[in-house]
Structure formats: C-alpha cells, structure tokens
Amino acid sequence: MGKDIEVGSEYASKDYQDPPPAPLIDPEELGKWSFYRAIIAEFIATLLFLYITVLTVIGYKSQSDTDHNGVQCGGVGILGIAWAFGGMIFVLVYCTAGISGGHINPAVTFGLFLARKVSLVRAIMYIVAQCLGAICGCGLVKAFQKAYYVRYGGGANTLNDGYSTGTGLGAEIIGTFVLVYTVFAATDPKRNARDSHVPVLAPLPIGFAVFMVHLATIPVTGTGINPARSFGAAVIYGKDKAWDDQWIFWVGPFIGAAIAAFYHQFILRAGAVKALGSYRSNA
C-alpha cells in the first residue's frame, strides 16, 4: 500500500497538476451565457427531481393506505422510494454534469464551494435556483394531485416519532457526508486525468449513494440530505408540522457537506500536508 501511494504521488507530481481554485468572487461570470445556462439547468433538474420523487412518495402512501381502499403492502415501499431518489439523481447528474456540474442540492454546492471548486457568486445563484426549482416541482405535484398531496403530507420531511432531535440531526449529517464524499471522489480531477472511464461513471456512484442513504434514514427523518428538497416540500405543503424541524434539514446537510469537503481535500488529498510543506519551505 505504501509503495502504491508513493508511485501515485510521484506520477501526480510529474504528470498532473490540480486545477487552480475558483476565485471567491468572479464578476466575469455574470457576463457569460454559460453561467446563466448552468443556473437554468440547476433549476430544471431540481424541479424534475422533486416532481418525480414527491409523486413517488405520495403514490406509495396512497396505495398502502388501508383506510382509503389501499393495501398494507401495496405500492413501491421504502425500497422503491429510495430507488426513485437515487435513480433520478443518477439520470439528472448524467444530463447536467457537463452544463452545471449536476449539483441539484445546496449541500453539494456548499461543499464544492468550501473546496474552492465554485465561486461564491455561482454557489449562491445555484442554491437560489435549486430552491426555486424544488418549490416549482412540488407545486406541480400539488396542482396535479391536490387531494392526495394534502392528505399524505406533501412529501415533506419531518422527524419521525420515536426519534430525538439529536438523532435526526446526526442522521442528516452522516447521510450528507456520504453523498458529498462520494461526489468529491467521483469527480476528483486527479482520478479523471488518470482513468478516462471515471467521468463517464460518475453519476452512477452518486446515484447509488443517494439510494443507500435513503434506505438507512427514511425511517428517521424521511431523508433530507438536500435542503432544497426539504424546503420546497415545506413551502408548498404549508403546514406547521413541515416547518417544526426544518432547521435540521439545513444545518445537518451543511455540516455533513463541510466535513466531507475537509476530509477529502485535507486528509485524502493531503491538502494539510501540502500547506504545511509550503509554509516550511517559505520559512
């Protein structure tokens, strides 16, 4: 293992250089069509994501509701809901990665911003577009199936009975860490330069990460790990219950994303060692 690391680092030092960090504020972006195209892509992708996934959640609840002619084991079940979320992320990341990077999640955008992969201006605009897209996606679901939407909670995230606030917050932190860590690993430019197949396969592990996290945390919080998803559903549903624990679905994912960014950049990519080495050499 030690030799492999040494060979890898030697290869990297000779043949690969990390791309420069994104500027904190880049006013030139505001004059480029590609910037606005990316924002539109994030808006539409998040809209489609919420439309398909919230419809799946509501459809499952209606089909398994025994009080309204449903069957106890009817519908797609938790496994199907997890597949809907993971599958849509796989599809949408594949479609938008070349345009906007395929974030579709404010926590992912926040993590990439902390790692200096995107500028502050782009990060803010992405998060705004994602939240608006989520609201519009849930709005479409309510417009098409208003009775079911209201009856079955609008797909809003809430802390389930029997779980404490700390447990819910921890579930969101760890779940988002898994997702954002996977995003960093799947889009690592060093791996992309070495293995040409990695960029093509990137949407697959990201989608699987979302799928696996949903399997684990649906019983706890319904699985947020995406502040836009939780926010959009709460806005359109509009009931107090959807807002009671809303902070968990923002604070948890942002903490998880920050930990993932630090872990990947400073531990796995040895950013801390490089910074210390640079400091010593200057001293």
Side-chain angles (χ1 to χ4, degrees):
M1 182 64 73
K3 282 190 174 181
D4 289 342
I5 294 173
E6 289 174 7
V7 171
S9 61
E10 182 181 354
Y11 172 85
S13 64
K14 290 182 178 179
D15 301 322
Y16 174 80
Q17 288 185 346
D18 279 323
L24 182 62
I25 299 176
D26 187 5
E28 293 183 2
E29 285 187 319
L30 299 176
K32 297 179 180 178
W33 164 242
S34 60
F35 175 68
Y36 298 99
R37 182 180 63 181
I39 294 171
I40 294 170
E42 287 292 310
F43 170 81
I44 295 297
T46 314
L47 183 154
L48 295 175
F49 176 60
L50 267 294
Y51 174 74
I52 295 297
T53 54
V54 170
L55 267 180
T56 302
V57 171
I58 292 174
Y60 162 65
K61 289 184 176 181
S62 66
Q63 291 166 347
S64 60
D65 185 0
T66 55
D67 294 333
H68 293 84
N69 300 320
V71 181
Q72 187 172 7
C73 296
V76 297
I78 290 179
L79 183 63
I81 293 173
W83 272 120
F85 279 87
M88 277 305 292
I89 287 297
F90 166 69
V91 170
L92 294 171
V93 170
Y94 177 82
C95 292
T96 60
I99 301 172
S100 66
H103 297 191
I104 322 170
N105 184 336
V108 172
T109 300
F110 180 66
L112 293 173
F113 165 70
L114 292 181
R116 302 292 299 278
K117 304 293 185 182
V118 295
S119 68
L120 178 61
V121 173
R122 184 175 291 262
I124 292 173
M125 293 304 295
Y126 272 21
I127 291 173
V128 171
Q130 291 155 0
C131 290
L132 291 176
I135 292 171
C136 292
C138 292
L140 285 177
V141 176
K142 185 174 182 179
F144 293 157
Q145 297 194 11
K146 185 173 183 179
Y148 287 119
Y149 187 90
V150 175
R151 181 186 301 165
Y152 297 113
N157 287 124
T158 57
L159 184 63
N160 292 327
D161 295 337
Y163 294 96
S164 66
T165 300
T167 300
L169 182 62
E172 289 297 307
I173 291 173
I174 296 172
T176 311
F177 172 85
V178 171
L179 170 60
V180 178
Y181 171 42
T182 304
V183 169
F184 274 106
T187 60
D188 190 331
K190 184 175 180 180
R191 294 184 64 195
N192 295 349
R194 185 182 61 210
D195 302 316
S196 60
H197 66 277
V198 170
V200 179
L201 295 177
L204 186 60
I206 295 172
F208 261 108
V210 172
F211 167 69
M212 298 303 295
V213 170
H214 273 76
L215 285 181
T217 57
I218 283 177
V220 183
T221 61
T223 308
I225 68 171
N226 184 334
R229 176 260 185 274
S230 303
F231 180 71
V235 168
I236 299 300
Y237 184 54
K239 305 292 184 182
D240 289 342
K241 184 174 176 57
W243 291 106
D244 288 344
D245 301 307
Q246 181 67 201
W247 68 272
I248 292 175
F249 302 104
W250 284 86
V251 175
F254 274 35
I255 292 175
I259 296 172
F262 176 83
Y263 176 64
H264 184 268
Q265 293 296 105
F266 291 96
I267 306 300
L268 298 186
R269 292 299 305 275
V273 175
K274 293 176 184 176
L276 180 61
S278 176
Y279 171 78
R280 286 177 174 175
S281 64
N282 291 335

